[in-house]
Amino acid sequence: MKKYPCKSKLRIVIFTFILTLLQLCTHHQIEADILENLSYTVVLLHSTKSDGTLTVGTGFFLATDLFLYIITAEHVAQTLTSQSQITIRTKEGKSLTFPLNDIVQDKEGNNWPTHKEADVTILPLKDNEKLSTEEFKNRFLPISLILKDKAAPLRATTLTVIGFPLGLPLVINTNDSFSPISRETKPASDLLILPRFDTKKPAKFFLTQDPSIGGFSGAPIVDTGLPLQIDNAMYLRPSMALVVGLVHGTLSDDTGGKMGAIVPSYYILETIEQFEEQFKTKSIHK
């Protein structure tokens, strides 16, 4: 009997292709599920100025063993007042708006922990009945999903920003469907020391290929584990949801060139660790 090695190799190639295709489909379905779950963790922070103009920003819920938090950018937190409101997406896909003071410990915002260098502020939340309701179940990301590496993601990594650019869902209609908006981009640099756009103080950032949009400030930027394509080869990775940074703003020039500036996620961890260490120290000395 004659052997046909070429046909055998062809079958292997076809089988490998089909297997890879199935894996890719699975990865994209898992990514869709991850983003759907993340849509319930992000919050729209908004205030109305005395002249009637609306200021908006994004934050997200996070949990540690000690506290529940809203994480956002410092320059967003500075726009919040005792009259500010928060809007979240309900399980039915509608909007739920209530005063921010209903859930934050410091109603005036005078003592919200802020990183000494980076554009990060954390808002410790009350341990009250509102946050214990079914509506807030599974809304808080565990701190283990915050990437602690002091490095930018690989440039081949597909990242997703999820938040509220321009406050669009709130501005357009709050009585119908309400959903945060997601946008994909890729890292464009390693960690760089750049002046902050708000304070002009130097801090570390990494850049993204695409610029930010007003309202995305404070939003998490997430690695969902999509495959990496490097030198025409595709590398599959475990699907995951790791927060790798926080949106700071847009870097631009007079020619119209724009890139996004992202606060590395380890700054979030440093802010939380410092606050919780101080809390533990105070508790010991009471």
Side-chain angles (χ1 to χ4, degrees):
M1 182 180 292
K2 293 183 179 180
K3 295 183 179 181
Y4 299 93
C6 290
K7 289 186 178 180
S8 178
K9 290 180 180 179
L10 181 60
R11 290 193 190 98
I12 293 173
V13 170
I14 293 174
F15 176 77
T16 302
F17 173 77
I18 293 173
L19 182 61
T20 301
L21 188 61
L22 289 173
Q23 288 176 318
L24 286 174
C25 291
T26 302
H27 269 75
H28 283 283
Q29 181 57 52
I30 293 174
E31 185 208 20
D33 294 340
I34 288 172
L35 292 178
E36 180 67 17
N37 292 331
L38 285 173
S39 71
Y40 298 104
T41 69
V42 291
V43 303
L44 174 57
L45 303 166
H46 50 102
S47 305
T48 302
K49 295 182 179 179
S50 56
D51 61 2
T53 58
L54 185 69
T55 62
V56 297
T58 299
F60 65 96
F61 289 124
L62 183 75
T64 71
D65 291 338
L66 289 179
F67 288 101
L68 301 177
Y69 298 96
I70 291 175
I71 311 297
T72 191
E74 181 187 5
H75 75 269
V76 172
Q78 288 183 342
T79 69
L80 302 176
T81 69
S82 58
Q83 305 302 313
S84 295
Q85 294 187 305
I86 177 175
T87 300
I88 60 175
R89 184 188 188 195
T90 67
K91 299 299 192 292
E92 295 76 30
K94 307 294 184 181
S95 64
L96 174 63
T97 299
F98 53 90
L100 182 62
N101 281 350
D102 281 2
I103 60 172
V104 295
Q105 290 183 15
D106 180 3
K107 293 185 177 182
E108 299 302 323
N110 296 323
N111 296 306
W112 286 337
T114 297
H115 198 279
K116 61 182 180 181
E117 296 175 6
D119 186 19
V120 177
T121 292
I122 60 176
L123 284 59
L125 305 184
K126 299 175 182 176
D127 183 12
N128 63 7
E129 292 183 4
K130 190 178 190 72
L131 293 177
S132 300
T133 61
E134 187 68 23
E135 189 60 61
F136 285 88
K137 187 178 181 180
N138 299 324
R139 284 194 183 271
F140 291 83
L141 288 176
I143 194 170
S144 60
L145 296 185
I146 306 296
L147 185 68
K148 61 183 179 181
D149 295 354
K150 294 187 176 182
L154 295 175
R155 296 175 195 242
T157 309
T158 299
L159 302 177
T160 302
V161 182
I162 183 164
F164 301 94
L166 307 178
L168 289 177
L170 182 70
V171 172
I172 294 175
N173 194 338
T174 60
N175 297 317
D176 203 346
S177 58
F178 180 83
S179 173
I181 295 166
S182 59
R183 185 184 192 189
E184 288 187 352
T185 187
K186 287 191 174 184
S189 76
D190 295 327
L191 295 186
L192 301 171
I193 296 178
L194 300 169
R196 286 175 49 170
F197 304 144
D198 51 341
T199 64
K200 309 305 178 184
K201 295 180 180 178
K204 286 186 179 178
F205 299 93
F206 68 87
L207 303 183
T208 55
Q209 294 177 357
D210 302 284
S212 180
I213 305 173
F216 261 147
S217 291
I221 184 160
V222 183
D223 178 1
T224 59
L226 283 176
L228 301 180
Q229 184 153 357
I230 303 173
D231 296 331
N232 296 322
M234 187 165 291
Y235 299 87
L236 298 179
R237 301 183 295 153
S239 296
M240 55 187 174
L242 284 177
V243 176
V244 300
L246 190 74
V247 176
H248 174 60
T250 297
L251 184 68
S252 60
D253 65 11
D254 294 338
T255 68
K258 295 182 179 181
M259 306 182 85
I262 308 299
V263 179
S265 54
Y266 72 85
Y267 276 136
I268 299 173
L269 294 177
E270 287 182 356
T271 310
I272 292 172
E273 288 168 2
Q274 182 177 8
F275 169 69
E276 294 193 351
E277 283 299 322
Q278 291 175 347
F279 171 78
K280 291 174 184 177
T281 301
K282 289 179 181 178
S283 298
I284 292 172
H285 289 91
K286 279 186 178 180

mmCIF file of all heavy atoms in Angstrom, residues 231-268:
data_model
loop_
_atom_site.group_PDB
_atom_site.id
_atom_site.type_symbol
_atom_site.label_atom_id
_atom_site.label_comp_id
_atom_site.label_asym_id
_atom_site.label_seq_id
_atom_site.Cartn_x
_atom_site.Cartn_y
_atom_site.Cartn_z
ATOM 1 N N ASP A 231 5.716 39.043 15.367
ATOM 2 C CA ASP A 231 6.494 38.509 14.233
ATOM 3 C C ASP A 231 5.706 37.453 13.457
ATOM 4 O O ASP A 231 6.173 36.342 13.192
ATOM 5 C CB ASP A 231 7.816 37.899 14.724
ATOM 6 C CG ASP A 231 8.731 38.940 15.346
ATOM 7 O OD1 ASP A 231 8.638 40.105 14.938
ATOM 8 O OD2 ASP A 231 9.510 38.586 16.234
ATOM 9 N N ASN A 232 4.466 37.799 13.109
ATOM 10 C CA ASN A 232 3.588 36.929 12.309
ATOM 11 C C ASN A 232 3.208 35.625 13.004
ATOM 12 O O ASN A 232 2.681 34.707 12.371
ATOM 13 C CB ASN A 232 4.232 36.602 10.954
ATOM 14 C CG ASN A 232 4.422 37.842 10.102
ATOM 15 O OD1 ASN A 232 3.563 38.726 10.098
ATOM 16 N ND2 ASN A 232 5.549 37.931 9.412
ATOM 17 N N ALA A 233 3.503 35.521 14.284
ATOM 18 C CA ALA A 233 3.099 34.344 15.055
ATOM 19 C C ALA A 233 2.087 34.769 16.111
ATOM 20 O O ALA A 233 2.178 35.861 16.672
ATOM 21 C CB ALA A 233 4.303 33.697 15.719
ATOM 22 N N MET A 234 1.099 33.895 16.354
ATOM 23 C CA MET A 234 0.058 34.205 17.327
ATOM 24 C C MET A 234 0.266 33.382 18.590
ATOM 25 O O MET A 234 0.483 32.175 18.522
ATOM 26 C CB MET A 234 -1.322 33.924 16.739
ATOM 27 C CG MET A 234 -2.461 34.372 17.628
ATOM 28 S SD MET A 234 -4.021 34.413 16.738
ATOM 29 C CE MET A 234 -3.750 35.797 15.628
ATOM 30 N N TYR A 235 0.222 34.048 19.725
ATOM 31 C CA TYR A 235 0.437 33.388 21.009
ATOM 32 C C TYR A 235 -0.841 33.495 21.835
ATOM 33 O O TYR A 235 -1.288 34.600 22.171
ATOM 34 C CB TYR A 235 1.597 34.037 21.762
ATOM 35 C CG TYR A 235 2.918 33.946 21.032
ATOM 36 C CD1 TYR A 235 3.288 34.905 20.090
ATOM 37 C CD2 TYR A 235 3.791 32.878 21.257
ATOM 38 C CE1 TYR A 235 4.495 34.818 19.405
ATOM 39 C CE2 TYR A 235 4.996 32.782 20.584
ATOM 40 C CZ TYR A 235 5.342 33.753 19.656
ATOM 41 O OH TYR A 235 6.548 33.659 18.979
ATOM 42 N N LEU A 236 -1.434 32.332 22.126
ATOM 43 C CA LEU A 236 -2.636 32.304 22.937
ATOM 44 C C LEU A 236 -2.268 32.434 24.407
ATOM 45 O O LEU A 236 -1.248 31.906 24.856
ATOM 46 C CB LEU A 236 -3.405 31.005 22.707
ATOM 47 C CG LEU A 236 -3.911 30.787 21.276
ATOM 48 C CD1 LEU A 236 -4.636 29.458 21.171
ATOM 49 C CD2 LEU A 236 -4.819 31.917 20.826
ATOM 50 N N ARG A 237 -3.100 33.141 25.161
ATOM 51 C CA ARG A 237 -2.864 33.334 26.593
ATOM 52 C C ARG A 237 -4.129 32.994 27.365
ATOM 53 O O ARG A 237 -5.224 32.983 26.795
ATOM 54 C CB ARG A 237 -2.498 34.798 26.875
ATOM 55 C CG ARG A 237 -1.271 35.299 26.146
ATOM 56 C CD ARG A 237 -0.965 36.724 26.569
ATOM 57 N NE ARG A 237 -2.020 37.648 26.169
ATOM 58 C CZ ARG A 237 -2.298 38.784 26.794
ATOM 59 N NH1 ARG A 237 -1.612 39.131 27.867
ATOM 60 N NH2 ARG A 237 -3.254 39.578 26.355
ATOM 61 N N PRO A 238 -4.002 32.730 28.652
ATOM 62 C CA PRO A 238 -5.209 32.506 29.459
ATOM 63 C C PRO A 238 -6.077 33.765 29.464
ATOM 64 O O PRO A 238 -5.563 34.878 29.612
ATOM 65 C CB PRO A 238 -4.655 32.212 30.859
ATOM 66 C CG PRO A 238 -3.235 31.819 30.644
ATOM 67 C CD PRO A 238 -2.771 32.560 29.436
ATOM 68 N N SER A 239 -7.362 33.599 29.259
ATOM 69 C CA SER A 239 -8.266 34.747 29.323
ATOM 70 C C SER A 239 -8.307 35.254 30.760
ATOM 71 O O SER A 239 -8.342 34.472 31.712
ATOM 72 C CB SER A 239 -9.663 34.344 28.860
ATOM 73 O OG SER A 239 -9.636 33.959 27.512
ATOM 74 N N MET A 240 -8.302 36.564 30.903
ATOM 75 C CA MET A 240 -8.218 37.151 32.233
ATOM 76 C C MET A 240 -8.777 38.562 32.177
ATOM 77 O O MET A 240 -9.214 39.033 31.127
ATOM 78 C CB MET A 240 -6.768 37.190 32.700
ATOM 79 C CG MET A 240 -5.850 37.900 31.718
ATOM 80 S SD MET A 240 -4.113 37.769 32.154
ATOM 81 C CE MET A 240 -3.349 38.538 30.719
ATOM 82 N N ALA A 241 -8.774 39.224 33.308
ATOM 83 C CA ALA A 241 -9.159 40.625 33.362
ATOM 84 C C ALA A 241 -8.236 41.307 34.354
ATOM 85 O O ALA A 241 -8.496 41.332 35.558
ATOM 86 C CB ALA A 241 -10.613 40.782 33.795
ATOM 87 N N LEU A 242 -7.139 41.834 33.874
ATOM 88 C CA LEU A 242 -6.178 42.521 34.721
ATOM 89 C C LEU A 242 -6.209 44.016 34.433
ATOM 90 O O LEU A 242 -6.047 44.435 33.281
ATOM 91 C CB LEU A 242 -4.768 41.988 34.485
ATOM 92 C CG LEU A 242 -4.409 40.639 35.097
ATOM 93 C CD1 LEU A 242 -2.990 40.254 34.689
ATOM 94 C CD2 LEU A 242 -4.518 40.683 36.624
ATOM 95 N N VAL A 243 -6.411 44.808 35.478
ATOM 96 C CA VAL A 243 -6.342 46.264 35.326
ATOM 97 C C VAL A 243 -4.874 46.651 35.280
ATOM 98 O O VAL A 243 -4.136 46.426 36.240
ATOM 99 C CB VAL A 243 -7.052 46.980 36.483
ATOM 100 C CG1 VAL A 243 -6.883 48.488 36.359
ATOM 101 C CG2 VAL A 243 -8.532 46.617 36.504
ATOM 102 N N VAL A 244 -4.438 47.210 34.158
ATOM 103 C CA VAL A 244 -3.021 47.559 33.987
ATOM 104 C C VAL A 244 -2.773 49.055 34.124
ATOM 105 O O VAL A 244 -1.624 49.496 34.136
ATOM 106 C CB VAL A 244 -2.493 47.063 32.622
ATOM 107 C CG1 VAL A 244 -2.614 45.551 32.516
ATOM 108 C CG2 VAL A 244 -3.215 47.746 31.462
ATOM 109 N N GLY A 245 -3.844 49.838 34.225
ATOM 110 C CA GLY A 245 -3.642 51.268 34.351
ATOM 111 C C GLY A 245 -4.943 52.030 34.511
ATOM 112 O O GLY A 245 -6.039 51.458 34.531
ATOM 113 N N LEU A 246 -4.779 53.335 34.620
ATOM 114 C CA LEU A 246 -5.882 54.271 34.835
ATOM 115 C C LEU A 246 -5.717 55.407 33.826
ATOM 116 O O LEU A 246 -4.610 55.924 33.645
ATOM 117 C CB LEU A 246 -5.787 54.815 36.260
ATOM 118 C CG LEU A 246 -6.924 55.640 36.842
ATOM 119 C CD1 LEU A 246 -8.087 54.724 37.183
ATOM 120 C CD2 LEU A 246 -6.446 56.349 38.114
ATOM 121 N N VAL A 247 -6.787 55.814 33.179
ATOM 122 C CA VAL A 247 -6.691 56.853 32.150
ATOM 123 C C VAL A 247 -6.403 58.216 32.779
ATOM 124 O O VAL A 247 -7.118 58.660 33.681
ATOM 125 C CB VAL A 247 -7.976 56.917 31.309
ATOM 126 C CG1 VAL A 247 -7.904 58.081 30.310
ATOM 127 C CG2 VAL A 247 -8.196 55.606 30.556
ATOM 128 N N HIS A 248 -5.347 58.863 32.292
ATOM 129 C CA HIS A 248 -4.982 60.211 32.745
ATOM 130 C C HIS A 248 -5.483 61.259 31.751
ATOM 131 O O HIS A 248 -6.154 62.208 32.130
ATOM 132 C CB HIS A 248 -3.468 60.314 32.902
ATOM 133 C CG HIS A 248 -2.968 61.691 33.224
ATOM 134 N ND1 HIS A 248 -3.347 62.374 34.366
ATOM 135 C CD2 HIS A 248 -2.106 62.516 32.558
ATOM 136 C CE1 HIS A 248 -2.751 63.562 34.391
ATOM 137 N NE2 HIS A 248 -1.996 63.669 33.312
ATOM 138 N N GLY A 249 -5.154 61.092 30.472
ATOM 139 C CA GLY A 249 -5.579 62.085 29.493
ATOM 140 C C GLY A 249 -4.929 61.857 28.148
ATOM 141 O O GLY A 249 -4.503 60.742 27.823
ATOM 142 N N THR A 250 -4.836 62.927 27.374
ATOM 143 C CA THR A 250 -4.332 62.853 26.004
ATOM 144 C C THR A 250 -3.087 63.706 25.842
ATOM 145 O O THR A 250 -3.041 64.856 26.301
ATOM 146 C CB THR A 250 -5.405 63.318 25.005
ATOM 147 O OG1 THR A 250 -6.523 62.429 25.081
ATOM 148 C CG2 THR A 250 -4.879 63.325 23.582
ATOM 149 N N LEU A 251 -2.078 63.136 25.207
ATOM 150 C CA LEU A 251 -0.854 63.858 24.847
ATOM 151 C C LEU A 251 -0.993 64.284 23.390
ATOM 152 O O LEU A 251 -1.257 63.453 22.524
ATOM 153 C CB LEU A 251 0.348 62.938 25.022
ATOM 154 C CG LEU A 251 1.742 63.530 24.784
ATOM 155 C CD1 LEU A 251 2.066 64.542 25.870
ATOM 156 C CD2 LEU A 251 2.784 62.420 24.769
ATOM 157 N N SER A 252 -0.856 65.583 23.106
ATOM 158 C CA SER A 252 -1.073 66.060 21.735
ATOM 159 C C SER A 252 -0.086 67.154 21.381
ATOM 160 O O SER A 252 0.603 67.702 22.238
ATOM 161 C CB SER A 252 -2.504 66.577 21.577
ATOM 162 O OG SER A 252 -2.745 67.653 22.465
ATOM 163 N N ASP A 253 -0.023 67.470 20.087
ATOM 164 C CA ASP A 253 0.828 68.564 19.626
ATOM 165 C C ASP A 253 0.079 69.391 18.595
ATOM 166 O O ASP A 253 -1.082 69.115 18.264
ATOM 167 C CB ASP A 253 2.160 68.046 19.068
ATOM 168 C CG ASP A 253 1.995 67.201 17.808
ATOM 169 O OD1 ASP A 253 0.882 67.178 17.235
ATOM 170 O OD2 ASP A 253 2.974 66.570 17.383
ATOM 171 N N ASP A 254 0.747 70.415 18.053
ATOM 172 C CA ASP A 254 0.093 71.344 17.133
ATOM 173 C C ASP A 254 -0.220 70.729 15.773
ATOM 174 O O ASP A 254 -0.991 71.284 15.000
ATOM 175 C CB ASP A 254 0.974 72.595 16.928
ATOM 176 C CG ASP A 254 1.118 73.404 18.201
ATOM 177 O OD1 ASP A 254 0.236 73.260 19.083
ATOM 178 O OD2 ASP A 254 2.109 74.154 18.325
ATOM 179 N N THR A 255 0.379 69.585 15.469
ATOM 180 C CA THR A 255 0.129 68.955 14.173
ATOM 181 C C THR A 255 -1.129 68.086 14.188
ATOM 182 O O THR A 255 -1.531 67.572 13.152
ATOM 183 C CB THR A 255 1.324 68.067 13.759
ATOM 184 O OG1 THR A 255 1.399 66.933 14.638
ATOM 185 C CG2 THR A 255 2.624 68.847 13.830
ATOM 186 N N GLY A 256 -1.701 67.898 15.355
ATOM 187 C CA GLY A 256 -2.887 67.050 15.458
ATOM 188 C C GLY A 256 -2.584 65.643 15.932
ATOM 189 O O GLY A 256 -3.489 64.829 16.098
ATOM 190 N N GLY A 257 -1.308 65.350 16.163
ATOM 191 C CA GLY A 257 -0.946 64.026 16.672
ATOM 192 C C GLY A 257 -1.384 63.859 18.111
ATOM 193 O O GLY A 257 -1.216 64.767 18.931
ATOM 194 N N LYS A 258 -1.959 62.701 18.420
ATOM 195 C CA LYS A 258 -2.471 62.470 19.772
ATOM 196 C C LYS A 258 -2.196 61.041 20.217
ATOM 197 O O LYS A 258 -2.266 60.110 19.421
ATOM 198 C CB LYS A 258 -3.980 62.732 19.832
ATOM 199 C CG LYS A 258 -4.362 64.181 19.573
ATOM 200 C CD LYS A 258 -5.863 64.375 19.689
ATOM 201 C CE LYS A 258 -6.253 65.838 19.451
ATOM 202 N NZ LYS A 258 -7.711 66.033 19.593
ATOM 203 N N MET A 259 -1.919 60.892 21.512
ATOM 204 C CA MET A 259 -1.731 59.574 22.136
ATOM 205 C C MET A 259 -2.345 59.636 23.532
ATOM 206 O O MET A 259 -2.514 60.711 24.107
ATOM 207 C CB MET A 259 -0.243 59.219 22.225
ATOM 208 C CG MET A 259 0.503 59.298 20.913
ATOM 209 S SD MET A 259 2.245 58.831 21.051
ATOM 210 C CE MET A 259 2.099 57.056 20.877
ATOM 211 N N GLY A 260 -2.674 58.469 24.066
ATOM 212 C CA GLY A 260 -3.230 58.414 25.408
ATOM 213 C C GLY A 260 -2.139 58.294 26.449
ATOM 214 O O GLY A 260 -1.118 57.639 26.226
ATOM 215 N N ALA A 261 -2.332 58.907 27.601
ATOM 216 C CA ALA A 261 -1.403 58.807 28.730
ATOM 217 C C ALA A 261 -2.082 58.017 29.837
ATOM 218 O O ALA A 261 -3.170 58.380 30.299
ATOM 219 C CB ALA A 261 -1.000 60.185 29.233
ATOM 220 N N ILE A 262 -1.438 56.932 30.255
ATOM 221 C CA ILE A 262 -2.030 56.003 31.216
ATOM 222 C C ILE A 262 -1.185 55.923 32.486
ATOM 223 O O ILE A 262 0.036 55.759 32.421
ATOM 224 C CB ILE A 262 -2.150 54.587 30.603
ATOM 225 C CG1 ILE A 262 -2.855 54.635 29.245
ATOM 226 C CG2 ILE A 262 -2.855 53.649 31.568
ATOM 227 C CD1 ILE A 262 -4.264 55.178 29.289
ATOM 228 N N VAL A 263 -1.832 56.042 33.633
ATOM 229 C CA VAL A 263 -1.164 55.869 34.922
ATOM 230 C C VAL A 263 -0.984 54.369 35.168
ATOM 231 O O VAL A 263 -1.964 53.623 35.154
ATOM 232 C CB VAL A 263 -2.008 56.473 36.059
ATOM 233 C CG1 VAL A 263 -1.325 56.259 37.409
ATOM 234 C CG2 VAL A 263 -2.274 57.955 35.810
ATOM 235 N N PRO A 264 0.237 53.885 35.369
ATOM 236 C CA PRO A 264 0.436 52.447 35.626
ATOM 237 C C PRO A 264 -0.314 51.999 36.881
ATOM 238 O O PRO A 264 -0.408 52.733 37.865
ATOM 239 C CB PRO A 264 1.950 52.327 35.814
ATOM 240 C CG PRO A 264 2.530 53.544 35.191
ATOM 241 C CD PRO A 264 1.510 54.629 35.358
ATOM 242 N N SER A 265 -0.828 50.780 36.852
ATOM 243 C CA SER A 265 -1.702 50.295 37.914
ATOM 244 C C SER A 265 -1.017 50.170 39.267
ATOM 245 O O SER A 265 -1.682 50.206 40.307
ATOM 246 C CB SER A 265 -2.299 48.946 37.510
ATOM 247 O OG SER A 265 -1.276 48.036 37.165
ATOM 248 N N TYR A 266 0.304 50.010 39.286
ATOM 249 C CA TYR A 266 0.966 49.846 40.595
ATOM 250 C C TYR A 266 0.815 51.102 41.448
ATOM 251 O O TYR A 266 0.896 51.030 42.687
ATOM 252 C CB TYR A 266 2.431 49.449 40.431
ATOM 253 C CG TYR A 266 3.368 50.513 39.928
ATOM 254 C CD1 TYR A 266 3.952 51.415 40.802
ATOM 255 C CD2 TYR A 266 3.693 50.607 38.574
ATOM 256 C CE1 TYR A 266 4.846 52.390 40.354
ATOM 257 C CE2 TYR A 266 4.566 51.571 38.110
ATOM 258 C CZ TYR A 266 5.143 52.467 38.991
ATOM 259 O OH TYR A 266 6.022 53.428 38.540
ATOM 260 N N TYR A 267 0.578 52.256 40.818
ATOM 261 C CA TYR A 267 0.320 53.477 41.585
ATOM 262 C C TYR A 267 -0.985 53.346 42.388
ATOM 263 O O TYR A 267 -1.112 53.907 43.485
ATOM 264 C CB TYR A 267 0.200 54.682 40.654
ATOM 265 C CG TYR A 267 1.518 55.326 40.260
ATOM 266 C CD1 TYR A 267 1.752 55.701 38.937
ATOM 267 C CD2 TYR A 267 2.498 55.624 41.198
ATOM 268 C CE1 TYR A 267 2.937 56.323 38.557
ATOM 269 C CE2 TYR A 267 3.677 56.242 40.839
ATOM 270 C CZ TYR A 267 3.896 56.599 39.513
ATOM 271 O OH TYR A 267 5.072 57.221 39.146
ATOM 272 N N ILE A 268 -1.969 52.649 41.824
ATOM 273 C CA ILE A 268 -3.219 52.411 42.552
ATOM 274 C C ILE A 268 -2.929 51.590 43.808
ATOM 275 O O ILE A 268 -3.406 51.910 44.905
ATOM 276 C CB ILE A 268 -4.231 51.672 41.655
ATOM 277 C CG1 ILE A 268 -4.573 52.497 40.417
ATOM 278 C CG2 ILE A 268 -5.500 51.332 42.439
ATOM 279 C CD1 ILE A 268 -5.429 51.757 39.396
#
